[in-house]
């Protein structure tokens, strides 16, 4: 666009208006001038005609005065615009004609005006074409001597006069116009330049995004108000943008935090599971390029839970931090360490060295992590089980690699912890079997694949005092699975309570049908896992089953292991108290194989200690083994607990135990576990409802 600013537009428009007005004024004054001039010429002509007509009165119609008349007419010579003058007699016969300067053109040619029709015009001034024609009576109308006709050029002098006017007025008018334009320009500039400044200011703000800018006070009227308003608006924008900036910073911090939390473990600052997965995948993608191999080491702490439970979560957290630091110090610099939650760490060694180097690294890790940790006043010890999988044995799939390292770690745990294992395909087969077992338990319980066997408990003389319910599983898919295999898997996969409930229900039914008729004292024991004690509904379920099957008090007893109360003494104690209140006894199973924290024995209501089979097996092997068994028996008696020896296979074992005070025995020497049907045969009439 030609006009870029409002200021220029306003000034140009104003000048245009001034020009139009000036032209209009000029035009009107020209018209006025014309009419004034023609009136002036008319009155002049009238006066001239009257004078001359008066002077002619004594001269016309007198033949001897022809010269005087000519002389008189020649007196018109000083009037440059008189084209012609003629004298007529009363009958309109021309007596004399005079041609003035105005009828002679530049080439000295004479143009006589047409005077043929003057007689018809009558007295007075007439306009004809460019001329004014004056017709004047000579003498009184009553005594008329003739007529005087003067033809006067009107247009010529008018043009001249207008021309003169132009010449005189135009320069002054132009100067005036210029002055007005200049004045307008300067005043317009003065008033309107703030608008230009506003526009420049807006452009500057847009370009710099600097909202702290302020417009200097300037301008008049609305422009001044506009400046104020814009400054006020800028203040609001500034305040808003400051608030916005704070929000943006806050959001930015949040985003960074979220990103950190999405990728890192907050406690140790190590990469977390998802970031580790991404890094492993990226390493896998690079495998082909560099023809290198990747190893994953799955590190799981042994005994972390005990530390955490016994010393508190703060110590546990600190321990994890220290473990992370030790790992960082041990592994090569270019490896990636991550925490997978809990007490599991994963290490990726991208430039995988040969197996022997991996072995020595794993050794260093096992040794390094088992050194004592000093946390506040505690000296804490844990160890680590490590599973190692490499792309040599697991292929180039990140998921597989991690899973295989996990499987190898599990293998290291089951081999006795505090060691490392390399992944092998056989481990995968065992892993798959564990998965199958865990997966088929539920369906097996529904499809009636489980049964309960009973193994008698006897006195030394062979009389029966009870039986232990031992679950059996004959799976359609897996065949016979030993409880020693599937019970630990059920415990780890959270399926043990379903088995326990099924066993409780089954045993209660068998008690109602058979065992309640066996002459007492006779107790049927049910094994409980540590997890069962933590299930709040379990005690309710047991109570419900007792009521449902109408069992007499004291018929059922429960066997628990040391792990049950090690986990949470309060929870276990609450459970034991409820059990005891129902008239059931509590046996401590596998005594001596767990942590054997003897102080617990006084803190929980235990009725019977079951001496584990491994002690019974060792009877007669050495005086020290014998002494150990004797000590256990002695301790139990002093604590007022009953004793039951498990896995008694020989008469010697039985005699030794009996001699030192153990009164109840369970083992192949007496009976193997058997079906209820077989048990009924053994019981004979003892298992029948009295007639
Ligand atoms: P446990 O409670 O210590 O059970 C005793 C185990 O020793 C039984 O093995 C029994 O068959 C075996 N046994 C008894 N006397 C002898 C003997 O003289 N010689 C030998 N070699 N073995 C003997 P089983 O039935 O295979 O059970 C293994 C473990 O499975 C049990 O050990 C128990 O911990 C668990 N278990 C069995 N049934 C259940 C159950 O219903 N619930 C729970 N939670 N655990 C169960
Ligand atoms: Ca048992
Ligand atoms: Ca046992």
């Amino acid at each position: 666009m030609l006009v870029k600013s409002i200021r220029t537009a306003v000034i140009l428009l104003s000048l245009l208006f001034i020009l139009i007005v000036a032209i209009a004024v000029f035009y009107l004054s020209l018209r006025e001038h014309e009419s004034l001039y023609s009136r002036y010429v008319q009155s002049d002509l009238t006066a001239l005609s009257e004078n001359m007509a008066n002077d002619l009165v004594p001269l016309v119609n007198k033949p001897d005065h022809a010269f005087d008349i000519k002389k008189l007419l020649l007196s018109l010579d000083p009037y440059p615009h008189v084209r012609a003058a003629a004298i007529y007699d009363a009958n309109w016969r021309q007596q004399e004609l005079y041609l003035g300067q105005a009828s002679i053109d530049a080439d000295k040619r004479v143009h006589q005006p047409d005077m043929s029709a003057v007689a018809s015009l009558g007295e007075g001034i007439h306009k004809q074409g460019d001329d004014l024609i004056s017709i004047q009576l000579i003498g009184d109308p009553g005594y008329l001597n003739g007529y005087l006709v003067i033809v006067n050029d009107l247009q010529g002098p008018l043009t001249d006069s207008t021309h003169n006017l132009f010449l005189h007025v135009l320069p002054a008018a132009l100067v005036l116009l210029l002055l007005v334009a200049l004045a307008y320009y300067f005043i317009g500039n003065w008033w309107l330049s703030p608008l230009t400044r506003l526009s420049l200011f807006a452009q500057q703000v847009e370009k710099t995004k600097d909202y702290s800018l302020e417009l200097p006070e300037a301008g008049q009227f609305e422009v001044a108000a506009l400046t104020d308003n814009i400054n006020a608006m800028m203040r609001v924008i500034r305040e808003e943008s400051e608030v916005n900036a704070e929000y943006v910073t806050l959001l930015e911090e949040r985003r960074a935090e979220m990103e950190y939390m999405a990728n890192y473990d907050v406690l140790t600052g190590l990469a977390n599971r998802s970031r580790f997965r991404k890094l492993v995948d990226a390493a896998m993608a690079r495998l082909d390029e560099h023809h290198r191999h990747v190893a994953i080491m799955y590190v799981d702490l042994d005994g972390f839970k005990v530390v955490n439970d016994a010393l508190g979560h703060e110590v546990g957290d600190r321990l994890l931090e220290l473990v992370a630091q030790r790992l960082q110090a041990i592994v090569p610099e270019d490896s990636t360490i991550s925490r997978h939650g809990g007490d599991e760490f994963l290490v990726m060694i991208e430039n995988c060295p040969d197996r022997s180097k991996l072995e020595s690294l794993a050794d260093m890790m096992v040794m390094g992590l088992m050194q004592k940790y000093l946390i506040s006043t505690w000296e804490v010890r844990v160890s680590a089980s490590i599973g190692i999988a490499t792309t040599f044995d697991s292929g180039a799939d990140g998921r597989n690699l991690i899973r295989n390292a996990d499987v190898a770690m599990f293998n290291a745990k089951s081999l006795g912890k505090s060691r490392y294992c390399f992944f092998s395909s056989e481990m995968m087969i065992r892993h798959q079997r564990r998965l199958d077992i865990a997966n088929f338990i539920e369906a097996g319980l529904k499809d009636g694949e489980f049964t309960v066997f009973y193994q008698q408990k006897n006195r030394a003389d062979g009389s029966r005092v009870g039986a232990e319910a031992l679950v059996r599983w004959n799976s359609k898919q897996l065949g016979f699975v030993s409880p020693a295999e599937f019970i630990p898997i059920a415990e780890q996969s959270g399926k043990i309570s379903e088995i326990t409930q099924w066993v409780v229900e089954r045993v209660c039914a068998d008690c109602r049908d058979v065992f309640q008729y066996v002459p007492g004292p006779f107790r049927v024991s049910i094994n409980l896992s540590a997890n069962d004690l933590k299930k709040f509904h379990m005690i309710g379920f047991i109570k419900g089953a007792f009521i449902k099957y109408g069992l007499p008090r004291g018929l059922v007893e429960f066997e628990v292991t040391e792990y049950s109360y090690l986990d949470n003494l309060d929870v276990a104690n609450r459970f034991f108290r409820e059990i005891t209140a129902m008239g059931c006894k509590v046996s401590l199973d596998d005594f001596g194989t767990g942590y054997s924290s003897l102080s617990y024995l006084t803190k929980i209501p235990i009725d019977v200690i079951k001496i584990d089979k491994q002690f019974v097996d060792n009877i007669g092997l050495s005086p020290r083994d014998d002494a150990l068994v004797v000590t256990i028996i002695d301790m139990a008696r002093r604590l007022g607990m009953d004793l039951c020896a498990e896995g008694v296979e020989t008469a010697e074992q039985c005699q030794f135990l009996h001699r030192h005070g153990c009164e109840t025995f369970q083992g192949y020497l007496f009976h193997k576990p058997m079906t209820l049907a077989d048990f009924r045969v053994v019981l004979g009439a003892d298992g029948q409802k009295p007639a």
Side-chain angles (χ1 to χ4, degrees):
M1 210 170 88
L2 208 65
V3 179
K4 285 201 174 112
S5 81
I6 182 171
R7 182 180 52 156
T8 321
V10 168
I11 290 172
L12 282 181
L13 207 62
S14 309
L15 287 178
L16 191 67
F17 277 133
I18 292 171
L19 205 65
I20 289 169
V21 169
I23 289 170
V25 167
F26 198 67
Y27 174 74
L28 288 174
S29 51
L30 219 59
R31 292 292 302 272
E32 187 64 22
H33 168 79
E34 271 174 21
S35 94
L36 275 176
Y37 187 81
S38 72
R39 259 184 291 163
Y40 154 77
V41 171
Q42 276 180 40
S43 65
D44 227 23
L45 191 58
T46 308
L48 183 68
S49 301
E50 281 174 4
N51 280 343
M52 196 168 260
N54 281 340
D55 291 346
L56 279 171
V57 173
L59 302 179
V60 282
N61 299 330
K62 313 261 172 58
D64 50 339
H65 284 90
F67 177 73
D68 292 329
I69 291 172
K70 270 196 181 16
K71 215 169 102 188
L72 193 68
L73 282 175
L74 281 176
S75 70
L76 287 172
D77 274 356
Y79 297 91
H81 302 304
V82 174
R83 281 157 64 86
I87 297 166
Y88 295 86
D89 63 11
N91 295 321
W92 282 103
R93 278 188 303 267
Q94 197 177 60
Q95 304 292 310
E96 201 64 58
L97 177 69
Y98 162 80
L99 289 177
Q101 297 292 323
S103 60
I104 301 166
D105 68 11
D107 301 330
K108 306 271 187 212
R109 275 195 305 245
V110 175
H111 299 277
Q112 186 180 336
D114 177 18
M115 298 168 80
S116 53
V118 289
S120 60
L121 291 175
E123 192 196 357
I125 303 280
H126 305 278
K127 195 163 186 303
Q128 196 175 61
D130 289 344
D131 300 331
L132 278 180
I133 299 175
S134 160
I135 297 173
Q136 188 67 43
L137 303 183
I138 304 171
D140 293 331
Y143 185 72
L144 190 62
N145 291 335
Y147 299 96
L148 169 66
V149 175
I150 300 177
V151 179
N152 194 77
D153 180 14
L154 177 66
Q155 202 50 51
L158 190 64
T159 309
D160 287 349
S161 140
T162 310
H163 193 71
N164 276 345
L165 189 75
F166 257 115
L167 283 181
H168 284 109
V169 171
L170 202 62
L174 281 177
V175 168
L176 200 68
L177 207 63
L178 196 70
L179 285 177
V180 168
L182 279 175
Y184 232 91
Y185 177 79
F186 285 114
I187 293 175
N189 243 1
W190 182 41
W191 282 351
L192 294 176
S193 65
L195 277 186
T196 315
R197 269 210 299 282
L198 287 186
S199 153
L200 288 174
F201 177 76
Q203 284 170 17
Q204 193 188 0
V205 170
E206 190 195 345
K207 235 185 254 161
T208 59
K209 303 271 179 287
D210 180 359
Y211 301 113
S212 64
L213 293 175
E214 242 185 77
L215 259 178
E217 289 290 330
Q220 305 275 326
F221 316 119
E222 281 90 344
V223 176
L226 191 60
T227 308
D228 279 350
N229 292 345
I230 286 182
N231 278 337
M233 191 179 76
M234 287 299 290
R235 271 195 295 281
V236 173
I237 292 177
R238 194 160 52 240
E239 282 162 21
E240 285 299 313
S241 65
E242 274 165 16
V243 173
N244 260 6
E246 274 170 33
Y247 271 123
V248 168
T249 324
L250 207 69
L251 282 179
E252 197 49 45
E253 283 171 11
R254 287 277 149 77
R255 196 193 59 76
E257 257 172 47
M258 304 270 279
E259 200 177 291
Y260 184 82
M261 275 159 70
N263 286 301
Y264 293 92
D265 170 50
V266 180
L267 179 68
T268 58
L270 296 176
N272 67 7
R273 183 188 291 262
S274 83
R275 181 168 165 74
F276 187 75
R277 266 309 303 273
K278 282 184 210 144
L279 292 174
V280 170
D281 287 345
M284 290 294 156
R286 287 194 294 269
L287 265 188
D288 289 343
E289 288 170 33
H290 305 300
H291 306 291
R292 286 174 184 160
H293 278 272
V294 170
I296 301 279
M297 303 176 98
Y298 206 116
V299 182
D300 189 286
L301 299 184
D302 311 314
F304 173 74
K305 194 172 159 31
V306 178
V307 174
N308 213 29
D309 290 349
L311 304 179
H313 291 267
E314 267 177 40
V315 174
D317 283 355
R318 183 74 192 124
L319 176 60
L320 291 172
E321 283 170 4
L322 292 175
V323 167
Q325 286 168 16
R326 273 194 202 173
L327 277 176
Q328 276 168 319
I330 295 169
V331 300
E333 258 185 16
D334 58 348
S335 21
T336 310
I337 311 178
S338 87
R339 180 174 167 228
H340 266 214
D343 57 352
E344 292 175 352
F345 295 85
L346 267 112
V347 180
M348 172 172 69
I349 291 151
E350 225 188 294
N351 204 354
C352 177
D354 57 40
R355 191 179 163 112
S356 66
K357 293 226 176 70
L358 275 177
E359 279 172 356
S360 57
L361 177 63
D363 256 331
M364 268 159 61
M365 284 160 77
V366 170
M367 297 310 288
L369 293 179
M370 75 195 301
Q371 303 304 313
K372 68 182 175 204
Y373 299 83
L374 292 173
I375 302 170
S376 49
T377 54
W378 305 100
E379 232 179 58
V380 181
R381 277 180 199 276
V382 284
S383 60
S385 299
I386 301 175
I388 307 166
T390 63
T391 40
F392 291 113
D393 51 46
S394 304
D397 180 279
R399 248 169 78 107
N400 277 352
L401 200 60
I402 294 174
R403 188 203 56 202
N404 291 354
D406 187 8
V407 168
M409 183 277 290
F410 189 85
N411 202 61
K413 285 247 181 218
S414 53
L415 288 178
K417 303 178 178 172
S418 193
R419 68 187 66 213
Y420 65 85
C421 268
F422 277 85
F423 172 77
S424 69
S425 48
E426 300 84 67
M427 283 177 200
M428 202 61 219
I429 294 167
R430 286 202 292 275
H431 176 70
Q432 191 53 50
R433 179 164 169 88
R434 281 201 303 275
L435 286 182
D436 288 346
I437 287 173
N439 287 336
F440 293 141
I441 286 174
E442 242 170 304
L445 285 168
K446 277 200 196 91
D447 298 346
E449 293 171 8
F450 285 79
T451 43
V452 171
F453 274 43
Y454 293 96
Q455 186 179 27
Q456 278 199 40
K457 294 178 184 174
N458 304 80
R459 287 193 207 282
D461 61 3
S463 59
R464 65 181 71 91
V465 290
E468 179 178 0
L470 294 162
V471 70
R472 297 287 176 264
W473 181 21
N474 198 356
S475 162
K476 270 197 220 83
Q477 293 90 347
L478 305 169
F480 180 79
V481 189
S482 147
E485 186 180 11
F486 74 77
I487 292 289
I489 294 172
E491 282 170 344
Q492 282 154 18
S493 58
K495 304 216 162 113
I496 190 65
S497 295
E498 286 167 58
I499 296 178
T500 304
Q501 288 182 1
W502 184 88
V503 171
V504 167
E505 183 97 23
R506 184 71 255 149
V507 170
C508 286
D510 292 346
C511 283
R512 176 196 59 195
D513 298 342
V514 180
F515 299 123
Q516 65 168 322
Y517 305 119
V518 179
F522 187 88
R523 288 200 298 263
V524 183
S525 59
I526 296 174
N527 289 287
L528 291 178
S529 285
N531 287 352
D532 294 327
L533 272 60
K534 288 184 217 150
K535 295 273 157 61
F536 293 112
H537 67 271
M538 188 57 81
I539 204 78
F541 180 87
I542 293 170
K543 275 186 194 167
F546 283 10
I547 294 166
K548 179 175 166 190
Y549 293 99
L551 299 193
R553 266 175 82 87
L555 179 56
V556 173
E557 100 179 8
F558 291 94
E559 295 188 10
V560 295
T561 61
E562 283 168 304
Y563 296 105
S564 317
Y565 59 80
L566 270 181
D567 236 16
N568 190 330
L569 186 67
D570 289 340
V571 171
N573 254 343
R574 206 174 310 137
F575 192 93
F576 293 144
R577 273 200 299 275
E578 298 252 14
I579 289 282
T580 312
M582 285 155 66
C584 302
K585 291 206 182 285
V586 178
S587 290
L588 189 55
D589 208 351
D590 304 341
F591 182 78
T593 58
Y595 287 88
S596 294
S597 173
L598 296 179
S599 65
Y600 279 116
L601 288 178
T602 58
K603 292 183 185 145
I604 48 174
I606 303 266
D607 303 296
V608 184
I609 281 183
K610 289 191 83 175
I611 305 171
D612 192 71
K613 181 173 179 297
Q614 78 182 56
F615 297 110
V616 176
D617 284 347
N618 292 347
I619 289 172
L621 289 187
S622 74
R624 285 171 77 98
D625 287 310
D626 291 352
L628 195 60
V629 176
V630 173
T631 308
I632 294 172
I633 296 169
D634 194 40
M635 182 196 70
R637 293 180 62 177
R638 281 171 193 271
L639 289 171
M641 295 170 184
D642 289 340
L643 277 156
C644 173
E646 310 184 87
V648 181
E649 291 182 340
T650 65
E652 289 74 34
Q653 291 166 348
C654 182
Q655 280 159 15
F656 180 88
L657 289 159
H658 185 56
R659 199 167 54 242
H660 289 95
C662 177
E663 299 203 317
T664 310
F665 309 91
Q666 179 183 357
Y668 294 176
L669 177 66
F670 297 91
H671 290 282
K672 285 195 170 182
M674 58 188 100
T675 61
L676 180 70
D678 288 345
F679 205 170
R680 284 181 103 152
V681 174
V682 174
L683 288 172
D686 281 355
Q688 308 280 323
K689 188 175 178 179

